[in-house]
Amino acid sequence: MNKTLRLALAVLALPCAAQAAEPIKIATDATYPPFEYIDAAGKLAGFEVDLANALCKEMNTPCEVVNQPWDGLIPGLSVKKFDAIMASMNITEERKKAVDFSKVYYFMQNRFVARKAGAGKVDAAAMRGKAIAVQTGTPQERFVTREFGKSATIKRYVNAQDPMLELASGRVDYTFGNTVQLQKGFLETQKGQGFEFVGPVFDGRRDKVLGEGVAVALRKNDAELKARFDKAIDAVKRKGIFQQLLQKHGLKGLLEG
């Protein structure tokens, strides 16, 4: 085989090699309905699971979404267990030391939930002697620790559902978290009957400790993948796909994209 023929065959093989590329593996923590959860068929589902697949379609790249406990997300990304994280992860100064982020795809709002007629104002005096349940390793945990750690008992849990279960059981007086997740995952369920939002809305635009917006988390200095995600996020919003997914998952009007 002469050199020219070998070169031609090598060039022809390039598209096939590209098609055989490994899919982008995106990790999520499937304990945040309606953002990510395990459905009745035992499969990953939710707004961010659908959004992850839409972004991969825009990038013309196969996509695999995998379930990973919250506290293993950033460590797993760092050791290349997966390529990205989409799990309602808010941008914070602390997290920016460990990972890079895509552009923001939505802003998270946060509130306290307590038993109806059982809570007054949300301030240090009202919280004195009370117990607040929150998911550990989150901006919400840092916020309640800073604001109420000296007056209330802060109880921390790895699983996002546990603070709500503790509230329903009467073992704590408040929980604090993402308003959408609390509304859809608790207040609209049987366990959430008799509870309500109390106090004002808190978000990262008023207090940066609550995060600068939710984005895709990526390994440090993975500039190429970040640019691809940024472009795909712009595309799904421009084409109306993002709004369609908000509508599908009952999130339209409940968060700012």
Side-chain angles (χ1 to χ4, degrees):
M1 186 182 296
N2 62 41
K3 183 176 180 181
T4 301
L5 183 56
R6 285 199 303 271
L7 180 60
L9 290 172
V11 170
L12 288 172
L14 287 176
C16 296
Q19 290 172 8
E22 288 295 316
I24 294 174
K25 186 176 285 189
I26 301 173
T28 194
D29 171 20
T31 63
Y32 283 84
F35 293 97
E36 40 266 337
Y37 57 93
I38 303 296
D39 66 14
K43 296 181 178 180
L44 280 170
F47 168 71
E48 282 180 296
V49 176
D50 285 349
L51 179 59
N53 285 302
L55 294 175
C56 286
K57 185 176 180 180
E58 284 296 326
M59 292 187 282
N60 196 29
T61 302
C63 184
E64 180 185 2
V65 184
V66 298
N67 193 17
Q68 172 75 38
W70 176 265
D71 57 352
L73 286 172
I74 289 178
L77 179 67
S78 298
V79 299
K80 300 185 178 181
K81 187 175 179 180
F82 30 81
D83 306 299
I85 299 168
M86 290 183 66
S88 288
M89 186 169 283
N90 236 322
I91 301 170
T92 66
E93 289 301 321
E94 183 178 352
R95 287 176 182 155
K96 285 193 286 189
K97 296 174 184 176
V99 299
D100 284 340
F101 286 96
S102 72
K103 60 172 46 184
V104 169
Y105 54 84
Y106 84 83
F107 289 94
M108 184 181 293
Q109 296 182 326
N110 306 275
R111 291 188 76 180
F112 285 94
V113 170
R115 192 171 294 277
K116 289 181 179 178
K121 294 191 300 182
V122 174
D123 57 28
M127 293 290 192
R128 189 168 303 280
K130 304 295 185 180
I132 305 170
V134 68
Q135 187 182 19
T136 192
T138 62
Q140 291 89 349
E141 179 200 4
R142 286 187 285 279
F143 178 80
V144 297
T145 299
R146 187 193 70 189
E147 295 294 316
F148 306 106
K150 293 181 179 179
S151 57
T153 299
I154 312 300
K155 295 191 174 183
R156 300 166 175 85
Y157 303 86
V158 172
N159 190 303
Q161 297 296 310
D162 286 345
M164 293 178 281
L165 296 176
E166 292 292 278
L167 180 63
S169 72
R171 287 188 285 268
V172 297
D173 303 289
Y174 297 88
T175 187
F176 179 73
N178 179 342
T179 53
V180 176
Q181 196 257 337
L182 289 170
Q183 177 71 34
K184 296 293 183 178
F186 183 61
L187 294 177
E188 292 183 6
T189 71
Q190 187 61 38
K191 286 186 174 65
Q193 300 306 299
F195 296 86
E196 63 184 355
F197 286 120
V198 294
V201 172
F202 301 91
D203 65 44
R205 285 167 290 187
R206 292 174 53 189
D207 194 322
K208 287 188 69 174
V209 73
L210 286 170
E212 300 168 32
V214 171
V216 183
L218 303 157
R219 276 188 294 278
K220 279 287 188 183
N221 302 315
D222 195 346
E224 180 182 354
L225 189 56
K226 171 180 162 51
R228 294 174 67 195
F229 268 108
D230 286 350
K231 184 177 179 181
I233 289 167
D234 284 340
V236 298
K237 290 191 173 185
R238 184 179 67 252
K239 294 178 180 181
I241 297 169
F242 187 85
Q243 292 298 320
Q244 291 170 11
L245 293 179
L246 291 179
Q247 184 73 43
K248 174 183 174 180
H249 293 282
L251 295 170
K252 200 169 179 66
L254 295 177
L255 59 82
E256 184 175 343

